[in-house]
Amino acid sequence: MAVPRSPNRPNVTIHGGNRLNFISSWFFLWIFQLLNISRKRNLGKDDLTLQDSETAKVVGDRLENFWKLECDNKKNSKNSIRRALVKSFGNYYAFLGLYKLFGAFFTFLGAYFLVNRLIDYASGNNSTLAAYMYALGLFLCALFSSIFINQLIAESTRVGVQVRAALMVLIYRKSLRLSSVSGGTGDIINLVANDCNRVAEACVNFHFLWSSAVEIIAVLILACVELGIAGLPALFILLVLFPIQYKLGRLTSTISNTITNITSSRIHLMSEILTAIKLIKFYAWESYFRERVGRVRRKEFSRLLSGIVVKVWTFCVVFGAPVLAMLGCLCVKVLSPGYIDEKEGIRARKIFTVLALFYTVRYPLIMLPIAVRTTLGALNSFERLNEFLMQPELEPLKQEKEPIDDDPSIRIYMHDADFSYEGVSDPALRFINMKVKQGELIAIVGDVGAGKSSILSAILGQIRKDNGICKIRGSISYVPHDAWLLNSTLKDNILFGNDYDAKRYQDVVQMCALNRDFTLLSYGDMTEIGDRGVNLSLGQRQRVSVARAVYNNADIILLDDPLSVMDPVVGKHIFHECIRKHLKDKAVIFVTNQLQYLSECDRIMVMKDGECFEEGTYDELTTKDVNLASLIGEYMEIEDPDQIDELINEIRLEKVAEELDESDGLESLMVADSRNNHTLKEYPLSSNRTQSKSDAHEATINRIVELNSHTIQNANINEQTISKMIERNNLTILGGAGKTRMMGTQVNRELNVTAKAVERNQLTIHSLNEREGITPIIDSDRRKEPKVSLHVYLDYFRKSTGFSLTLLMIISFFLMAAVRFFSDWWIINLVVSIKPEQFASRLGIYGALVGVVLIGVFARGEFFAWVMMHKSQALHDQTFVKVMRAPMTYFDITPLGKILNVFAKHQYLADDVLSDNALQFFSWLPLIIGTVIFIIILFPWTGIVAVVLSFCIWFLIYVSKDVEERFKHLDADSKAPIFSHLSATLEGLASIRVYNVQNRFDDQNIEKINTNNKALFAMMQVKSWQSLYIDLLASIFIFATALVVIIRRDNDDQRYASKAGLAIANALQLLIFVQWMIRSGRDVAATMDSVQQLLYYRQNIPSERPNVIESNRPPPDWGKSGEIEFKDVTLRYNIYGVAVLKSISFHIHPREKIGIVGKTGSGKSTLLVSLLRIVELAEGNIFIDNLDTSTIGLRDLRNSIAIIPQEPVIFAGTIRSNLDPFKKCTDEEIWNALKAVHLYDKVKSSTSRLDTQVLENGRNFSLGQRQLFCIARALLKKTNILVLDEATSAVDLQTDVIIQETIKKNFADYTVLTIAHRLNTIMEADRILCLNEGRVVEFDTPFNLLNNPEGFFYQLVDHSGPEVATKLKQIALQHAPSNNTTIPDVSKSSIIPKEHEKSTTIISPTTSTDSHHNNQHSHMPPSLGEVFVKPTPSISQQKD
């Protein structure tokens, strides 16, 4: 929300063009007001106001109107956004060309006519008064030339900003109407981030494209007028160099696009590496990924080097053209018969006038390739914009006004309706017949891909109706499968633009079980929600989404499986209190696969392959031999009361209450208000729950109350709480992909959004540079330009090539400048009277000097490119190696987005921007310094003026740099919300349309664009102000030089006219190039901050222990038996941290199958962390086959242990590279592994077979197939120890059975350690290791553990309920050593001993908590008309 501006806070209107009088506009007088305000306080976006004509809405509406006319014009063979832009902004932009013409006119008036007159005066002609007038005229010409050039740039920038804003608005409005987001969200974000900017850049530079040719032709004509036939060589030389410079511009554009693509691919690879860094370390694949990144980097290095070399050639043309043209003209002029008869004054006047003219060619030659590159970039962008804007649009949802079939209660009616997605020929839904009346609750069930969600899309009008009838009557609310939240407050997300009704709001919050979340969050319902809801759990997001739909009070409610990610208690409460009770008068469509709710639905639709396979009431389906309870209990997931992320995700350190009030029940949940610890709030919950679970649920809720009753300010932090937090953050230690980081709070999650955006291919390098949101939020009022210390420059100079070579490279620029100035001075020797035979030798010397200049400029450029690229490469390689060798604790406390930012933004700036700016700076610096020194040598009195003006320039920059930097940061900070808003819009298109809030979102987009435009336009205007006044000071120096020439005229010095001409011709170079030198120097200093970041990462990241210890390599057959022993193992995640594992000792025999159980914080994940030495032990030892693992290298250790992660991670590449990256296995071995995991036929059927490409994140394979690839990867590792984090992901039944059977069959001879999430699978283990609070509490066979009624594991099973307990007992009996031994009937025991009450883990037969973050599905029965594939029955089921 915008902060209201204080009435006493002055506001500046951003002016441009001729909105004020031309004096104010030309001299940017309004900037002085801005500078005055900035002296009193830091400027913010609220200090600026755009003129109405500059706002995004005005320019967006204008462009949209012309685009509609373009689309409606039947004469156009192809619609063109370029034509629409020309009609919208073309007239004024064409008028700006006059500025360029006037600027060129005054440039040539000064450089040709007035310089000519002043040299003529210096040679003894003309009156002194006339000379003074000429000097004043020269000053005015320089001033007006600067005014018009800066006006051209400022106004072209203003038009560019308008065009960019208009295109952004047009793209956003088009996005709201798209039928489908083809190409993905990333393509549309790149249109805004890249293509709109390219068009804006072309607007700034296009006038230099045509004017370059005009200026060069004008120079050639004037040279021919002055020199006659002697000007023809210049004609030939410049006409050859001009197309060369044009070609170099095209080549620069091509190379730039190639670099962008390669750099983006490197960033995607780095994102993939960083998000899976845990697994890479587990697999010991660092060297493989180093080689992969190195391969991409070498290709990138080659293109970067080519790009710099092309820029070097450009500068060769810029610096070589004047001297080469001068040499050609002098050769003809000096050697011509009449030259010897000309007076010295005439010679000086002609030659130095032409020299001044040739120096003016530098500006158009330097701008030409820039204009070519930006124009070609814009033309390519126009093609992409046209393609996007011509994509098909979604037809608005048609609402029936009259009752359907004369029945006012009917809300949805479909008859034989077929629906298909845009661009897909096969229909997604076929022959759909449904009639939903007001007050009905319809459940839709079916397997993955059956068409459940497609029915909701059809009702919403999001997919195309091909046949049949579809009628909708009434307003709609929609809850998507993946909750969609805005970057706003919780309250705003619920209201979603509706008026606030206090009673309705409170009722909805209570029904959706959000009261307790509001109390526990720092600011209640005013808590700001991060991008994509990153600071809420899945369950919290979904409850907010449900609350939004309910509060909207629509006639039709569409629910796409919202309860699947919620805690079972909360889910049941919402179903009964909200869906059944509150929405009883609505038409509700409820997509679900949770069987427990089906009996309470009015009707059930069973989907299969896009068709309604069965339909009827629950009773009707059960009479068709459908046993809806057949699979309940098949998955007995461990439910943990301590996994409280579902209820609070703001990570705090809380005090653990020692005791709980046992009288607290579930009928009313008492929660302490986090802002007032003396206040308790009561939130009633539904009492519809089974009594057998009440104790378990009470333990869960009491744990929530207990752990959140105190914030960190209480400072009474319990060690147990800390260890639980640490362990909780390592729960997904085998998941490997971008989970919540330890000690990270919300910042880590928000920063990881960028890594995931790149991972989803949403960003390129350029759009990543625009996303300043990836840096931690800093108070913009206190934000300062980072200071780069001298040692950073020295470190950079020493990098790779060494300090001496770097210094030599810099000296070479000054050396070549000195040679060039000496060549200018040598021209004097061709003007003075000498013997005729001496002209040829002196001309030969001048030609040699020109040759040295040309060769030297090229050589120094090549040397520069070599030095800069090798420094850049060294920065990348050393930083990358350091990051890859960093321990996991570093990644746990460092946001992935921050690390990725180093390899993306900072490396890009060091690679490309730094070298480009440094090339300009080192080219202009010797030119400016040399010019001033050269003029002072010729006319010493100008030194006083030079000193005074240098101080004035310093003061000018000093007073304006803070304002410029302030706007620069505001510009960067205000870009991220534009991309976030667009990304959020594209993800929530269905919700935005169904709630009919397109206009509100469009207004928000316009507001964000305007905020950015204020900062961007103000920053560019301040830069133009700086440029103008630096040019004004340069004009004063030119004027001073002319005055000194007039005042110090010496008629006795035959060289005086030549020295005067030489001084004035060189002084004119200061115009434009002084401010360019200053600008490029400041850009170099700003870019050095990125170098500082890279150096910091190289120098400050800790390293793991060595990968290989050559003196202590394990024997070749080490690890074959698979014996593991822990001896008094204690582990801390940092040296002063709490012990997460406490003196653990146990022994695992070879080929033994071990299940590991324990509640959150017990140390399960940390146990495996210690085994693989992800964190080094604080005390104790771990032995594998009697070898202490701490004595060998990490690679040797990790290569001896196979890993199957909970979340399958597949890397981009090929199937072969994913299974065998080091090429150690034969094809036969790989095929055998694929055969073992049931993937042989799948891979064999593809044309490329083992070389089949794997897309990013394995998108071209299903979840189950990716899991099977991970199993094959473990098989090919050829070790005898397997670490398995049991998968709880939502794979279908058939695939899950295949996975379980594959693991059992293929790893029978392995030592297997399984972190258990399902009790029924570990009941088949040889022994079960029970952990509690970092200690081993039990370690025995399942049979013996169930024989101990007082034991930890017994209580765990007992808490799961009688049905599950009985089933587990039967599995234990099946695998017991002797079947005649009796086990106590755990199903009959329901009393938990007091000492076990708080540490007991709960077992849920059908559901999993939010904190597991998996789409929990209670699987549908296979007998539902064979809709779902029947799984292979387990041994225990067969026994039953």
Side-chain angles (χ1 to χ4, degrees), residues 1301-1338:
E1301 294 300 324
T1302 301
I1303 291 172
K1304 289 177 189 177
K1305 177 181 176 182
N1306 291 286
F1307 298 100
D1309 294 329
Y1310 282 55
T1311 300
V1312 180
L1313 279 68
T1314 303
I1315 295 181
H1317 298 285
R1318 301 174 185 172
L1319 286 173
N1320 55 321
T1321 55
I1322 63 162
M1323 297 306 289
E1324 300 177 9
D1326 296 323
R1327 286 190 292 169
I1328 296 176
L1329 181 70
C1330 300
L1331 295 175
N1332 190 29
E1333 296 180 11
R1335 293 186 173 90
V1336 177
V1337 291
E1338 288 183 305

Side-chain angles (χ1 to χ4, degrees), residues 497-643:
N498 289 308
D499 294 332
Y500 176 69
D501 182 320
K503 184 179 184 308
R504 175 157 54 123
Y505 182 78
Q506 290 300 329
D507 288 345
V508 168
V509 167
Q510 188 276 329
M511 281 184 293
C512 296
L514 284 168
N515 268 322
R516 54 183 177 179
D517 300 286
F518 290 175
T519 306
L520 296 169
L521 293 169
S522 301
Y523 301 101
D525 63 353
M526 297 307 292
T527 300
E528 193 82 11
I529 303 304
D531 190 20
R532 298 181 178 89
V534 291
N535 52 337
L536 296 180
S537 72
L538 287 176
Q540 286 172 321
R541 294 177 217 169
Q542 201 60 277
R543 291 204 300 277
V544 173
S545 185
V546 171
R548 175 195 298 159
V550 176
Y551 187 85
N552 192 48
N553 200 28
D555 302 312
I556 302 167
I557 313 292
L558 307 180
L559 307 173
D560 195 351
D561 203 16
L563 307 184
S564 62
V565 294
M566 295 184 192
D567 178 271
V569 182
V570 177
K572 191 173 290 187
H573 164 79
I574 291 176
F575 182 78
H576 288 103
E577 295 298 316
C578 181
I579 298 174
R580 287 298 298 159
K581 188 181 294 184
H582 183 76
L583 300 178
K584 64 181 184 298
D585 296 326
K586 309 290 185 183
V588 182
I589 309 291
F590 180 39
V591 170
T592 186
N593 266 359
Q594 294 178 286
L595 308 178
Q596 64 267 37
Y597 302 125
L598 297 184
S599 61
E600 300 185 55
C601 297
D602 297 317
R603 278 184 290 129
I604 302 169
M605 286 180 64
V606 183
M607 298 297 296
K608 180 182 179 183
D609 297 331
E611 297 184 25
C612 179
F613 194 73
E614 287 282 354
E615 183 180 8
T617 64
Y618 180 84
D619 292 335
E620 287 172 349
L621 289 178
T622 53
T623 57
K624 297 179 182 178
D625 194 26
V626 175
N627 182 5
L628 290 170
S630 63
L631 290 183
I632 292 180
E634 181 67 26
Y635 293 105
M636 292 162 277
E637 304 240 349
I638 299 174
E639 184 182 316
D640 187 348
D642 288 330
Q643 292 221 9

Side-chain angles (χ1 to χ4, degrees), residues 63 85 93 156-169 171 187-206 256-257 260 370-371 373-382 384-385 763-772 908 971-972 974-976 978-979 982 1009 1012-1013 1015-1017 1019-1020:
L63 179 60
L85 283 170
Y93 187 72
S156 295
T157 300
R158 187 170 72 91
V159 173
V161 172
Q162 290 179 339
V163 167
R164 172 177 167 270
L167 286 171
M168 283 179 168
V169 171
I171 290 169
D187 286 351
I188 300 177
I189 290 177
N190 284 333
L191 285 176
V192 173
N194 294 342
D195 293 308
C196 291
N197 281 341
R198 287 196 180 106
V199 175
E201 286 179 9
C203 290
V204 175
N205 296 306
F206 176 74
S256 177
N257 291 334
T260 299
I370 297 174
R373 176 177 56 81
T374 54
T375 302
L376 291 176
L379 291 175
N380 292 332
S381 294
F382 285 140
R384 287 188 288 271
L385 288 166
L763 300 173
T764 65
I765 175 61
H766 292 307
S767 55
L768 185 65
N769 285 335
E770 303 292 349
R771 286 174 68 96
E772 293 297 327
Y908 165 74
D971 171 51
S974 59
K975 280 176 182 172
I978 297 174
F979 300 124
L982 175 59
I1009 294 172
N1012 178 245
N1013 281 358
L1016 176 61
F1017 187 54
M1019 178 182 71
M1020 299 308 296

Side-chain angles (χ1 to χ4, degrees), residues 183 192 280 533 638 755 1053 1276:
V192 173
I280 291 171
I638 299 174
D1053 185 356
L1276 289 169

Side-chain angles (χ1 to χ4, degrees), residues 285 1215-1226 1230 1276:
W285 282 7
I1215 292 175
R1216 186 193 303 275
S1217 68
N1218 267 281
L1219 298 179
D1220 180 32
F1222 297 105
K1223 300 178 181 177
K1224 292 181 178 179
C1225 301
T1226 65
I1230 296 175
L1276 289 169

